[in-house]
Amino acid sequence: MPTATAVFNGKTIAKADSWETVEGNVYFPPSSLDKSVLSVTDTHTGCPWKGLASYYSIKVDGKEVKDAAWFYPEPKEKAMNIKDYVAFYKNKVDVSVA
């Protein structure tokens, strides 16, 4: 069975055997995250069909990247399958499925 992994600054920050893929992005379930490296930011963006996204910054061993991950705490009906799941910007975090 494949595994989805997110790595930042050499540290695995998310790993899951089960995830959702939406618009080419891997959405990791909340239970798969290392929340000790995530901090919620004040950034929000809107998607017409998913709803209002919230963002996390990531900090590992002194290296920080702002708004590197996003999630939908209250998604619209068609996106309920990704409620609280987290996706990472591929240009900021190494995301792979293998």
Coordinates of all heavy atoms in Angstrom, one line a residue:
M1 N 0.9 -1.2 0.0 CA 0.0 0.0 0.0 C 0.9 1.2 0.0 O 1.8 1.3 0.8 CB -0.9 0.0 1.2 CG -1.7 1.3 1.4 SD -2.8 1.2 2.9 CE -4.3 1.2 2.0
P2 N 0.6 2.2 -0.8 CA 1.4 3.5 -0.9 C 1.3 4.3 0.4 O 0.3 4.2 1.1 CB 0.9 4.2 -2.1 CG -0.2 3.4 -2.7 CD -0.5 2.2 -1.8
T3 N 2.3 5.1 0.6 CA 2.3 6.0 1.8 C 2.6 7.4 1.3 O 3.4 7.6 0.5 CB 3.4 5.6 2.8 OG1 3.2 4.3 3.2 CG2 3.4 6.5 4.0
A4 N 1.8 8.4 1.8 CA 2.0 9.8 1.5 C 2.9 10.4 2.6 O 2.6 10.1 3.8 CB 0.7 10.5 1.4
T5 N 3.9 11.1 2.2 CA 4.8 11.7 3.2 C 5.1 13.2 2.9 O 5.2 13.5 1.7 CB 6.2 10.9 3.2 OG1 5.9 9.6 3.3 CG2 7.1 11.4 4.3
A6 N 5.2 14.0 3.9 CA 5.6 15.4 3.8 C 6.8 15.6 4.6 O 6.8 15.3 5.8 CB 4.4 16.3 4.2
V7 N 7.9 16.2 4.0 CA 9.1 16.4 4.7 C 9.5 17.9 4.5 O 9.5 18.4 3.4 CB 10.2 15.5 4.1 CG1 11.6 15.8 4.7 CG2 9.9 14.0 4.2
F8 N 9.9 18.5 5.7 CA 10.4 19.9 5.6 C 11.7 19.9 6.4 O 11.8 19.4 7.6 CB 9.4 20.8 6.3 CG 9.9 22.2 6.4 CD1 10.1 23.0 5.3 CD2 10.2 22.8 7.6 CE1 10.5 24.3 5.4 CE2 10.7 24.0 7.7 CZ 10.9 24.8 6.6
N9 N 12.7 20.5 5.8 CA 14.1 20.7 6.5 C 14.6 19.3 7.0 O 15.1 19.3 8.1 CB 14.0 21.7 7.6 CG 15.3 22.3 7.9 OD1 16.3 22.3 7.1 ND2 15.5 22.8 9.2
G10 N 14.4 18.3 6.3 CA 14.9 16.9 6.6 C 14.0 16.2 7.6 O 14.3 15.0 8.0
K11 N 12.9 16.8 8.1 CA 12.1 16.1 9.1 C 10.7 15.7 8.5 O 10.1 16.5 7.8 CB 11.8 17.1 10.3 CG 10.9 16.5 11.4 CD 10.8 17.5 12.5 CE 9.9 17.0 13.6 NZ 10.2 15.8 14.3
T12 N 10.3 14.5 8.7 CA 8.9 14.1 8.3 C 7.9 14.8 9.2 O 7.9 14.6 10.4 CB 8.8 12.5 8.4 OG1 9.8 12.0 7.5 CG2 7.4 12.1 8.0
I13 N 7.0 15.5 8.6 CA 6.0 16.3 9.4 C 4.6 15.7 9.2 O 3.7 16.1 9.9 CB 6.1 17.8 9.0 CG1 5.9 18.0 7.6 CG2 7.4 18.4 9.5 CD1 5.8 19.5 7.2
A14 N 4.5 14.8 8.2 CA 3.2 14.1 8.0 C 3.5 12.8 7.3 O 4.3 12.8 6.4 CB 2.2 15.0 7.2
K15 N 2.8 11.8 7.7 CA 2.9 10.5 7.0 C 1.6 9.7 7.2 O 1.1 9.6 8.3 CB 4.1 9.7 7.7 CG 4.4 8.4 6.9 CD 5.6 7.8 7.5 CE 6.0 6.6 6.7 NZ 7.3 6.0 7.2
A16 N 1.1 9.3 6.0 CA -0.3 8.6 6.1 C -0.4 7.5 5.1 O 0.1 7.6 4.0 CB -1.3 9.7 5.8
D17 N -1.1 6.4 5.5 CA -1.4 5.3 4.5 C -2.8 5.6 3.8 O -3.1 5.0 2.9 CB -1.6 4.0 5.3 CG -0.2 3.6 5.9 OD1 0.8 3.9 5.3 OD2 -0.3 2.9 7.0
S18 N -3.5 6.6 4.4 CA -4.8 7.0 3.8 C -4.9 8.5 3.8 O -4.5 9.2 4.7 CB -5.9 6.4 4.7 OG -7.1 6.9 4.3
W19 N -5.3 9.1 2.6 CA -5.3 10.5 2.5 C -6.3 10.8 1.4 O -6.9 9.9 0.7 CB -3.9 11.1 2.1 CG -3.4 10.5 0.8 CD1 -3.6 11.1 -0.5 CD2 -2.7 9.3 0.6 NE1 -3.1 10.3 -1.4 CE2 -2.5 9.2 -0.8 CE3 -2.2 8.4 1.4 CZ2 -1.8 8.1 -1.3 CZ3 -1.5 7.3 0.9 CH2 -1.3 7.2 -0.5
E20 N -6.6 12.1 1.1 CA -7.4 12.6 0.1 C -6.6 13.3 -0.9 O -5.7 14.1 -0.5 CB -8.6 13.5 0.6 CG -9.5 12.8 1.6 CD -10.5 11.8 0.9 OE1 -10.7 12.0 -0.3 OE2 -10.9 10.9 1.6
T21 N -6.9 13.2 -2.2 CA -6.2 14.0 -3.2 C -7.3 14.9 -3.9 O -8.3 14.4 -4.4 CB -5.6 13.1 -4.3 OG1 -4.6 12.2 -3.7 CG2 -4.8 13.9 -5.4
V22 N -7.1 16.2 -3.9 CA -8.0 17.1 -4.4 C -7.2 18.1 -5.3 O -6.2 18.7 -4.8 CB -8.8 17.9 -3.4 CG1 -9.7 18.9 -4.0 CG2 -9.6 16.9 -2.5
E23 N -7.6 18.3 -6.5 CA -6.9 19.2 -7.5 C -5.4 19.0 -7.5 O -4.6 19.9 -7.5 CB -7.3 20.6 -7.1 CG -8.7 20.9 -7.3 CD -9.2 22.3 -6.9 OE1 -8.5 22.9 -6.0 OE2 -10.2 22.8 -7.4
G24 N -4.9 17.7 -7.4 CA -3.5 17.4 -7.5 C -2.8 17.6 -6.1 O -1.6 17.3 -6.1
N25 N -3.5 18.0 -5.1 CA -2.8 18.1 -3.8 C -3.2 17.0 -2.9 O -4.3 16.6 -2.8 CB -3.3 19.4 -3.1 CG -2.8 20.6 -3.9 OD1 -1.6 20.8 -4.1 ND2 -3.7 21.5 -4.4
V26 N -2.2 16.5 -2.1 CA -2.4 15.4 -1.1 C -2.8 16.1 0.2 O -2.2 17.0 0.7 CB -1.1 14.6 -0.9 CG1 -1.3 13.7 0.3 CG2 -0.7 13.9 -2.1
Y27 N -4.0 15.7 0.7 CA -4.5 16.2 1.9 C -4.3 15.2 3.0 O -4.9 14.1 2.9 CB -6.0 16.6 1.8 CG -6.2 17.9 1.1 CD1 -6.2 18.1 -0.2 CD2 -6.5 19.1 1.9 CE1 -6.4 19.3 -0.9 CE2 -6.7 20.3 1.3 CZ -6.7 20.4 -0.1 OH -6.9 21.6 -0.7
F28 N -3.5 15.5 4.0 CA -3.2 14.5 5.1 C -4.2 14.6 6.2 O -4.6 15.7 6.6 CB -1.8 14.9 5.7 CG -0.7 14.6 4.7 CD1 -0.3 15.5 3.8 CD2 0.0 13.4 4.8 CE1 0.8 15.3 2.9 CE2 1.1 13.1 3.9 CZ 1.5 14.1 3.0
P29 N -4.6 13.5 6.7 CA -5.6 13.5 7.9 C -4.9 14.1 9.1 O -3.7 14.0 9.3 CB -5.9 12.0 8.1 CG -4.8 11.3 7.4 CD -4.3 12.1 6.3
P30 N -5.7 14.8 9.9 CA -5.1 15.4 11.1 C -4.2 14.5 12.0 O -3.2 14.9 12.5 CB -6.3 15.9 11.9 CG -7.4 16.0 10.9 CD -7.1 15.0 9.9
S31 N -4.6 13.3 12.1 CA -3.9 12.3 12.9 C -2.5 12.0 12.4 O -1.7 11.4 13.1 CB -4.7 11.0 13.1 OG -4.9 10.4 11.8
S32 N -2.2 12.3 11.2 CA -0.9 12.0 10.6 C 0.1 13.1 10.7 O 1.3 12.9 10.3 CB -1.1 11.7 9.1 OG -1.4 12.9 8.4
L33 N -0.3 14.2 11.3 CA 0.6 15.4 11.4 C 1.4 15.5 12.6 O 0.9 15.1 13.7 CB -0.3 16.7 11.3 CG -1.2 16.8 10.1 CD1 -2.2 18.0 10.4 CD2 -0.4 17.1 8.9
D34 N 2.6 16.0 12.5 CA 3.4 16.4 13.7 C 3.0 17.8 14.0 O 3.6 18.7 13.5 CB 4.9 16.2 13.4 CG 5.8 16.6 14.5 OD1 5.2 17.1 15.6 OD2 7.0 16.5 14.4
K35 N 2.1 18.0 14.9 CA 1.5 19.3 15.1 C 2.5 20.2 16.0 O 2.3 21.4 16.0 CB 0.2 19.2 15.8 CG -0.9 18.6 14.9 CD -2.3 18.8 15.4 CE -3.2 18.2 14.4 NZ -4.6 18.3 14.8
S36 N 3.6 19.6 16.5 CA 4.5 20.3 17.3 C 5.3 21.3 16.4 O 5.9 22.2 16.9 CB 5.5 19.4 18.0 OG 6.4 18.8 17.1
V37 N 5.3 21.1 15.1 CA 6.0 22.0 14.1 C 5.1 22.9 13.4 O 5.6 23.7 12.6 CB 6.9 21.2 13.1 CG1 7.9 20.3 13.9 CG2 6.0 20.3 12.2
L38 N 3.8 22.9 13.7 CA 2.8 23.7 13.0 C 2.3 24.8 13.9 O 2.0 24.6 15.0 CB 1.7 22.8 12.5 CG 2.0 21.7 11.6 CD1 0.7 20.9 11.3 CD2 2.6 22.1 10.3
S39 N 2.1 26.0 13.3 CA 1.4 27.0 14.0 C 0.5 27.8 13.1 O 0.8 28.1 12.0 CB 2.5 28.0 14.6 OG 3.3 28.6 13.6
V40 N -0.7 28.0 13.6 CA -1.8 28.6 12.8 C -1.4 30.1 12.6 O -0.9 30.7 13.5 CB -3.2 28.5 13.5 CG1 -4.2 29.3 12.7 CG2 -3.6 27.0 13.6
T41 N -1.6 30.5 11.3 CA -1.4 32.0 11.0 C -2.7 32.7 10.9 O -3.8 32.1 11.0 CB -0.6 32.1 9.7 OG1 -1.4 31.8 8.6 CG2 0.7 31.2 9.7
D42 N -2.6 34.0 10.6 CA -3.9 34.8 10.4 C -4.3 34.8 9.0 O -5.3 35.4 8.6 CB -3.6 36.2 10.9 CG -3.4 36.3 12.4 OD1 -4.0 35.5 13.1 OD2 -2.7 37.3 12.8
T43 N -3.6 34.1 8.1 CA -3.9 34.1 6.7 C -5.2 33.2 6.4 O -5.3 32.1 7.0 CB -2.7 33.5 5.9 OG1 -1.6 34.3 6.2 CG2 -3.0 33.6 4.4
H44 N -6.0 33.7 5.5 CA -7.2 33.0 5.0 C -7.4 33.3 3.6 O -7.2 34.4 3.1 CB -8.5 33.4 5.8 CG -8.4 33.2 7.3 ND1 -8.6 31.9 7.8 CD2 -8.1 34.0 8.3 CE1 -8.5 32.0 9.1 NE2 -8.2 33.2 9.4
T45 N -7.8 32.3 2.8 CA -8.2 32.5 1.4 C -9.5 31.7 1.2 O -9.8 30.8 1.9 CB -7.1 32.0 0.4 OG1 -6.8 30.6 0.7 CG2 -5.8 32.8 0.6
G46 N -10.2 32.2 0.1 CA -11.5 31.5 -0.2 C -11.4 30.7 -1.5 O -10.7 31.1 -2.4
C47 N -12.1 29.6 -1.5 CA -12.3 28.8 -2.7 C -13.8 28.7 -2.9 O -14.5 28.4 -2.0 CB -11.7 27.4 -2.4 SG -12.1 26.2 -3.8
P48 N -14.2 28.9 -4.1 CA -15.7 28.9 -4.4 C -16.4 27.6 -4.0 O -17.5 27.6 -3.6 CB -15.8 29.1 -5.9 CG -14.4 29.6 -6.4 CD -13.4 29.2 -5.3
W49 N -15.7 26.4 -4.1 CA -16.4 25.2 -3.8 C -15.9 24.5 -2.5 O -16.6 23.7 -2.0 CB -16.4 24.2 -5.0 CG -15.0 23.6 -5.3 CD1 -14.0 24.1 -6.1 CD2 -14.6 22.3 -4.8 NE1 -13.0 23.2 -6.1 CE2 -13.3 22.1 -5.3 CE3 -15.2 21.3 -4.0 CZ2 -12.6 20.9 -5.0 CZ3 -14.4 20.2 -3.7 CH2 -13.1 20.0 -4.2
K50 N -14.7 24.9 -2.0 CA -14.2 24.2 -0.8 C -14.5 25.1 0.4 O -14.6 24.6 1.5 CB -12.7 24.0 -0.9 CG -12.4 22.8 -1.9 CD -10.9 22.5 -1.9 CE -10.1 23.6 -2.4 NZ -9.4 23.6 -3.6
G51 N -14.5 26.4 0.3 CA -14.8 27.3 1.4 C -13.6 28.1 1.8 O -12.7 28.4 1.0
L52 N -13.5 28.5 3.1 CA -12.5 29.4 3.6 C -11.3 28.5 4.2 O -11.5 27.7 5.1 CB -13.0 30.3 4.7 CG -12.1 31.4 5.2 CD1 -11.8 32.4 4.1 CD2 -12.7 32.1 6.4
A53 N -10.1 28.7 3.6 CA -9.0 28.0 4.0 C -8.2 28.8 5.1 O -8.1 30.0 5.1 CB -8.0 27.8 2.9
S54 N -7.7 28.0 6.1 CA -6.8 28.6 7.1 C -5.4 28.0 6.8 O -5.3 27.0 6.1 CB -7.3 28.2 8.5 OG -8.5 28.7 8.8
Y55 N -4.4 28.7 7.4 CA -3.0 28.3 7.1 C -2.2 28.0 8.3 O -2.4 28.5 9.4 CB -2.4 29.4 6.3 CG -2.9 29.5 4.9 CD1 -4.1 30.0 4.6 CD2 -2.1 29.0 3.8 CE1 -4.6 30.1 3.3 CE2 -2.6 29.0 2.5 CZ -3.9 29.5 2.3 OH -4.4 29.5 1.0
Y56 N -1.1 27.2 8.1 CA -0.1 26.9 9.1 C 1.3 27.4 8.6 O 1.6 27.2 7.4 CB 0.0 25.4 9.3 CG -1.0 24.7 10.1 CD1 -1.8 23.7 9.5 CD2 -1.2 25.0 11.4 CE1 -2.8 23.0 10.2 CE2 -2.2 24.3 12.1 CZ -3.0 23.3 11.5 OH -3.9 22.6 12.2
S57 N 2.1 27.8 9.5 CA 3.5 28.0 9.2 C 4.2 26.8 9.8 O 3.6 26.1 10.7 CB 4.1 29.3 9.9 OG 3.6 30.4 9.2
I58 N 5.4 26.4 9.3 CA 6.1 25.3 9.8 C 7.5 25.7 10.2 O 8.1 26.5 9.6 CB 6.3 24.2 8.6 CG1 4.9 23.8 8.0 CG2 7.0 23.0 9.1 CD1 5.0 23.1 6.7
K59 N 7.9 25.2 11.4 CA 9.2 25.5 11.9 C 9.9 24.2 12.4 O 9.3 23.5 13.2 CB 9.1 26.5 13.1 CG 10.4 27.0 13.6 CD 10.3 28.1 14.6 CE 11.6 28.6 15.0 NZ 11.5 29.7 16.0
V60 N 11.0 23.9 11.8 CA 11.8 22.8 12.1 C 13.3 23.2 12.3 O 13.9 23.7 11.4 CB 11.7 21.7 11.0 CG1 12.7 20.5 11.3 CG2 10.3 21.2 10.9
D61 N 13.8 22.9 13.4 CA 15.3 23.2 13.7 C 15.7 24.6 13.4 O 16.7 24.8 12.7 CB 16.2 22.2 13.0 CG 16.0 20.8 13.5 OD1 15.6 20.6 14.7 OD2 16.2 19.8 12.7
G62 N 14.8 25.6 13.7 CA 15.1 27.0 13.5 C 14.8 27.5 12.1 O 14.8 28.7 11.9
K63 N 14.4 26.6 11.2 CA 14.0 27.1 9.8 C 12.5 27.2 9.8 O 11.8 26.2 10.1 CB 14.6 26.1 8.8 CG 14.2 26.6 7.4 CD 14.9 25.7 6.3 CE 14.5 26.2 4.9 NZ 15.1 25.3 3.9
E64 N 12.0 28.3 9.4 CA 10.5 28.5 9.4 C 10.1 29.0 8.0 O 10.8 29.7 7.3 CB 10.1 29.6 10.4 CG 8.6 29.7 10.5 CD 8.2 30.6 11.7 OE1 9.1 31.3 12.3 OE2 7.0 30.6 12.0
V65 N 8.9 28.5 7.6 CA 8.3 28.9 6.3 C 6.9 29.2 6.6 O 6.1 28.4 7.2 CB 8.5 27.9 5.2 CG1 7.8 26.6 5.5 CG2 8.0 28.4 3.9
K66 N 6.5 30.5 6.3 CA 5.1 31.0 6.6 C 4.1 30.5 5.6 O 4.4 30.4 4.4 CB 5.2 32.5 6.6 CG 3.8 33.1 7.1 CD 4.0 34.6 7.2 CE 2.7 35.4 7.4 NZ 1.8 34.9 8.4
D67 N 2.9 30.2 6.1 CA 1.8 29.8 5.2 C 2.2 28.6 4.3 O 1.8 28.7 3.1 CB 1.2 31.0 4.5 CG 0.7 32.0 5.4 OD1 0.3 31.7 6.5 OD2 0.7 33.2 5.0
A68 N 2.8 27.6 4.8 CA 3.3 26.5 3.9 C 2.2 25.4 3.8 O 2.4 24.5 3.0 CB 4.6 25.9 4.5
A69 N 1.2 25.5 4.6 CA 0.2 24.4 4.6 C -1.2 25.1 4.8 O -1.3 26.1 5.4 CB 0.4 23.4 5.7
W70 N -2.2 24.4 4.3 CA -3.6 25.0 4.5 C -4.6 23.9 4.8 O -4.3 22.7 4.5 CB -4.0 25.8 3.2 CG -4.3 24.9 2.0 CD1 -5.5 24.4 1.6 CD2 -3.3 24.5 1.0 NE1 -5.4 23.7 0.4 CE2 -4.1 23.8 0.1 CE3 -2.0 24.7 0.9 CZ2 -3.4 23.2 -1.0 CZ3 -1.4 24.1 -0.2 CH2 -2.1 23.4 -1.2
F71 N -5.7 24.3 5.3 CA -6.7 23.3 5.7 C -8.1 24.1 5.7 O -8.1 25.3 5.8 CB -6.4 22.7 7.1 CG -6.4 23.6 8.2 CD1 -7.5 23.7 9.1 CD2 -5.3 24.4 8.5 CE1 -7.5 24.6 10.2 CE2 -5.3 25.3 9.5 CZ -6.3 25.4 10.4
Y72 N -9.1 23.3 5.7 CA -10.5 23.8 5.7 C -11.2 23.4 7.0 O -11.7 22.3 7.1 CB -11.3 23.4 4.5 CG -10.7 23.9 3.2 CD1 -9.7 23.2 2.5 CD2 -11.1 25.1 2.7 CE1 -9.1 23.8 1.4 CE2 -10.6 25.7 1.5 CZ -9.6 25.0 0.9 OH -9.0 25.5 -0.2
P73 N -11.3 24.2 8.0 CA -11.9 23.8 9.3 C -13.4 23.7 9.2 O -14.1 23.0 9.9 CB -11.5 24.9 10.3 CG -11.1 26.1 9.4 CD -10.6 25.5 8.1
E74 N -14.0 24.5 8.2 CA -15.5 24.5 8.0 C -15.7 24.5 6.5 O -16.2 25.5 5.9 CB -16.1 25.6 8.7 CG -16.0 25.6 10.2 CD -16.7 26.8 10.9 OE1 -17.6 27.4 10.3 OE2 -16.3 27.1 12.0
P75 N -15.4 23.4 5.8 CA -15.6 23.3 4.4 C -17.0 23.3 3.9 O -17.9 23.0 4.7 CB -14.9 22.0 4.0 CG -15.0 21.2 5.2 CD -14.9 22.1 6.4
K76 N -17.2 23.7 2.7 CA -18.5 23.6 2.1 C -18.9 22.2 1.9 O -18.0 21.3 2.0 CB -18.6 24.4 0.8 CG -18.4 25.9 1.0 CD -18.6 26.6 -0.4 CE -18.5 28.1 -0.1 NZ -18.7 28.9 -1.4
E77 N -20.2 21.9 1.6 CA -20.7 20.5 1.6 C -19.9 19.6 0.6 O -19.5 18.5 1.0 CB -22.1 20.5 1.1 CG -22.8 19.2 1.2 CD -24.3 19.2 0.8 OE1 -24.9 20.3 1.0 OE2 -24.8 18.2 0.4
K78 N -19.5 20.1 -0.6 CA -18.8 19.2 -1.5 C -17.4 18.9 -1.1 O -16.7 18.0 -1.7 CB -18.8 19.9 -2.9 CG -20.1 19.9 -3.5 CD -20.1 20.5 -4.9 CE -21.4 20.5 -5.6 NZ -21.4 21.1 -6.9
A79 N -16.8 19.6 -0.1 CA -15.5 19.4 0.4 C -15.4 18.8 1.8 O -14.3 18.8 2.4 CB -14.7 20.7 0.3
M80 N -16.5 18.2 2.3 CA -16.5 17.7 3.6 C -15.5 16.6 3.8 O -15.0 16.4 5.0 CB -17.9 17.2 4.0 CG -18.9 18.4 4.3 SD -18.4 19.6 5.5 CE -18.5 18.6 7.0
N81 N -15.1 15.9 2.8 CA -14.1 14.8 2.9 C -12.7 15.3 3.3 O -11.9 14.5 3.7 CB -14.0 14.0 1.6 CG -13.6 14.9 0.4 OD1 -14.1 16.0 0.2 ND2 -12.7 14.3 -0.4
I82 N -12.5 16.6 3.2 CA -11.2 17.2 3.6 C -11.2 18.1 4.8 O -10.3 18.8 5.1 CB -10.4 17.9 2.4 CG1 -11.3 19.0 1.8 CG2 -10.0 16.9 1.3 CD1 -10.5 20.0 0.9
K83 N -12.3 18.0 5.5 CA -12.4 18.8 6.7 C -11.3 18.5 7.7 O -11.0 17.4 8.0 CB -13.8 18.5 7.5 CG -13.9 19.3 8.8 CD -15.3 19.0 9.4 CE -15.4 19.5 10.8 NZ -15.1 20.9 10.9
D84 N -10.5 19.6 8.0 CA -9.4 19.6 8.9 C -8.2 18.8 8.3 O -7.1 18.7 9.0 CB -9.7 19.0 10.3 CG -10.7 19.9 11.0 OD1 -10.6 21.1 10.8 OD2 -11.5 19.4 11.8
Y85 N -8.3 18.3 7.1 CA -7.1 17.6 6.5 C -6.2 18.8 6.0 O -6.6 19.9 5.7 CB -7.5 16.8 5.2 CG -8.0 15.4 5.6 CD1 -8.9 15.2 6.6 CD2 -7.6 14.4 4.8 CE1 -9.4 13.9 6.9 CE2 -8.0 13.1 5.1 CZ -8.9 12.9 6.1 OH -9.4 11.6 6.4
V86 N -4.9 18.5 5.9 CA -3.9 19.5 5.7 C -3.1 19.2 4.4 O -2.7 18.0 4.2 CB -2.9 19.6 6.8 CG1 -1.8 20.6 6.5 CG2 -3.6 20.0 8.1
A87 N -3.0 20.2 3.5 CA -2.2 20.1 2.3 C -1.0 21.0 2.4 O -1.1 22.0 3.1 CB -3.1 20.4 1.1
F88 N 0.1 20.7 1.7 CA 1.3 21.5 1.8 C 1.6 22.0 0.4 O 1.4 21.4 -0.6 CB 2.4 20.6 2.3 CG 2.3 20.1 3.6 CD1 1.7 18.8 3.8 CD2 2.6 20.8 4.7 CE1 1.5 18.3 5.1 CE2 2.5 20.3 6.0 CZ 1.9 19.1 6.2
Y89 N 2.2 23.3 0.4 CA 2.7 23.8 -0.9 C 3.9 23.0 -1.3 O 4.9 22.9 -0.6 CB 3.0 25.3 -0.8 CG 1.8 26.2 -0.8 CD1 1.3 26.8 0.4 CD2 1.2 26.4 -2.0 CE1 0.2 27.6 0.3 CE2 0.0 27.3 -2.0 CZ -0.4 27.8 -0.9 OH -1.5 28.6 -0.9
K90 N 3.9 22.5 -2.5 CA 4.9 21.6 -3.0 C 6.2 22.3 -3.2 O 7.3 21.7 -3.2 CB 4.5 20.9 -4.3 CG 3.3 20.0 -4.1 CD 2.8 19.4 -5.3 CE 1.5 18.7 -5.1 NZ 0.8 18.3 -6.4
N91 N 6.2 23.7 -3.4 CA 7.4 24.4 -3.5 C 8.0 24.8 -2.2 O 9.1 25.4 -2.1 CB 7.2 25.7 -4.4 CG 6.2 26.7 -3.8 OD1 5.4 26.3 -2.9 ND2 6.3 27.9 -4.2
K92 N 7.3 24.5 -1.1 CA 7.8 24.8 0.3 C 8.1 23.5 1.1 O 8.9 23.5 2.0 CB 6.8 25.6 1.0 CG 6.6 27.0 0.4 CD 5.6 27.8 1.2 CE 5.4 29.2 0.5 NZ 4.5 30.0 1.3
V93 N 7.4 22.4 0.8 CA 7.5 21.1 1.5 C 7.6 20.0 0.5 O 6.9 20.1 -0.6 CB 6.2 20.9 2.4 CG1 6.3 19.6 3.1 CG2 6.1 22.0 3.4
D94 N 8.4 19.0 0.7 CA 8.6 17.9 -0.1 C 7.4 16.9 0.1 O 7.4 16.3 1.2 CB 9.9 17.2 0.0 CG 11.1 18.1 -0.4 OD1 10.9 18.8 -1.4 OD2 12.1 18.0 0.3
V95 N 6.5 16.8 -0.8 CA 5.4 15.8 -0.6 C 5.6 14.7 -1.6 O 5.8 15.0 -2.8 CB 4.0 16.5 -0.9 CG1 2.9 15.6 -0.8 CG2 3.8 17.7 0.1
S96 N 5.5 13.5 -1.2 CA 5.6 12.3 -2.1 C 4.6 11.2 -1.7 O 4.2 11.1 -0.6 CB 7.0 11.8 -2.0 OG 7.3 11.3 -0.7
V97 N 4.3 10.4 -2.7 CA 3.5 9.2 -2.5 C 4.3 8.1 -3.1 O 4.6 8.1 -4.3 CB 2.1 9.4 -3.2 CG1 1.3 8.1 -3.0 CG2 1.3 10.5 -2.6
A98 N 4.6 7.1 -2.3 CA 5.4 6.0 -2.8 C 5.0 4.7 -2.0 O 4.5 4.7 -1.0 CB 6.9 6.2 -2.5

